[in-house]
Amino acid sequence: MAIAIRAEGLAKSFNGTAAVRNLDLEVKPGELLALLGPSGSGKTTFLRLVAGLESPTAGRILFDNEDATILSVRDRRVGFVFQHYALFRHLNVAENIAYGLRVRPRATRPADAEIRRRVADLLELVQLAGLGKRFPTQLSGGQRQRVALARALAVEPRVLLLDEPFGALDAKVRRDLRRWLREIHDRTGHTTLFVTHDQEEALELADRVAIFNLGNVEQVGTPDEILDHPATAFVAGFVGEAVRLPVNAAGSSLQIGPHQLRLSCGNVTGPAELFVRPRDLALANDPQPAIPARVLAVRRTGPARRAELALADGLPPVEMELPAGHAARKGDILPVTLVNLRLFASR
């Protein structure tokens, strides 16, 4: 049965340096929550605190209503999958999967026949049936990571933790495995925490995403909420290829360099930060007020074409996705306007 995880006032310091700061976070039973943030933001430390591999400096972690902080790693019943597989090279695939069961105390160790049955079922689940006698060196990277996941599932964990599980794999294998992982999660229903630095991976895989920064959580939400309604300037700048522009807001107008657009700026007045993504800009239709933007370059990004634009002298360039068939060239002046507004008062 899937459980909830709740962190209350959680903190962890290493030699006086805070890695996690007074963190509160709730994970729903059976959900896949991605932990996303820059290096050093605290996401892996939080994962290790949940697993019991680190002890908190303050606060506690609850599994449902049970204080897991006082439980040993074994008693927490957590399955952990690491980036570099951590498979035993001298054991074959079946023996690697069975390892966590065979090292249990005799009183809780399943019978040999039950272990063999469970290993066979897991090999089927991770699509490696028939490969039980192979050794890790005889497998591809993607196959090794499937073995690592099967080994984590073998102990019937209450919680599944994955720390950059696809970080050592190439892009195509990553894409294939993350779709497969989502299918496995939907079939098994474990409460799962997934650490990644890959935004596309987090947004595609997760039910919700927690954005970490400086040891705390800036925002927790669905992928759509994180992308379309960032709660803070950090989230707006971190997720989704955003460029930060210094602007001035005044009720119903927005000044970008020497240009002024009539837009509702909400409650923001005065110096502000505007975060612009490629899909936030569009060609203006008359009589829309527009910014005459100079095309610096035109490039392809997959099936789309993008124009790199200078909105004004002294501002960083931004990108805009071009309509199909639009023949923009370097040096052209395009009338552009904002179709999405992510605006935050300057601190």
Side-chain angles (χ1 to χ4, degrees), residues 74 98-105 109:
R74 174 177 290 173
Y99 181 81
L101 299 172
R102 294 200 183 280
V103 298
R104 281 183 177 176
R109 187 188 312 155

Side-chain angles (χ1 to χ4, degrees), residues 59-73:
R60 64 177 186 164
I61 295 168
L62 300 176
F63 287 0
D64 283 338
N65 295 316
E66 181 181 20
D67 187 352
T69 315
I70 62 175
L71 299 178
S72 67
V73 174

Side-chain angles (χ1 to χ4, degrees), residues 158-187:
R158 294 195 290 174
V159 175
L160 188 60
L161 307 177
L162 303 103
D163 189 9
E164 300 274 10
F166 308 142
L169 305 173
D170 65 50
K172 183 181 185 308
V173 175
R174 287 176 72 109
R175 285 193 297 271
D176 291 343
L177 276 186
R178 67 190 185 215
R179 285 193 293 267
W180 167 81
L181 178 63
R182 182 69 233 193
E183 292 172 4
I184 294 291
H185 176 268
D186 291 342
R187 289 172 63 181

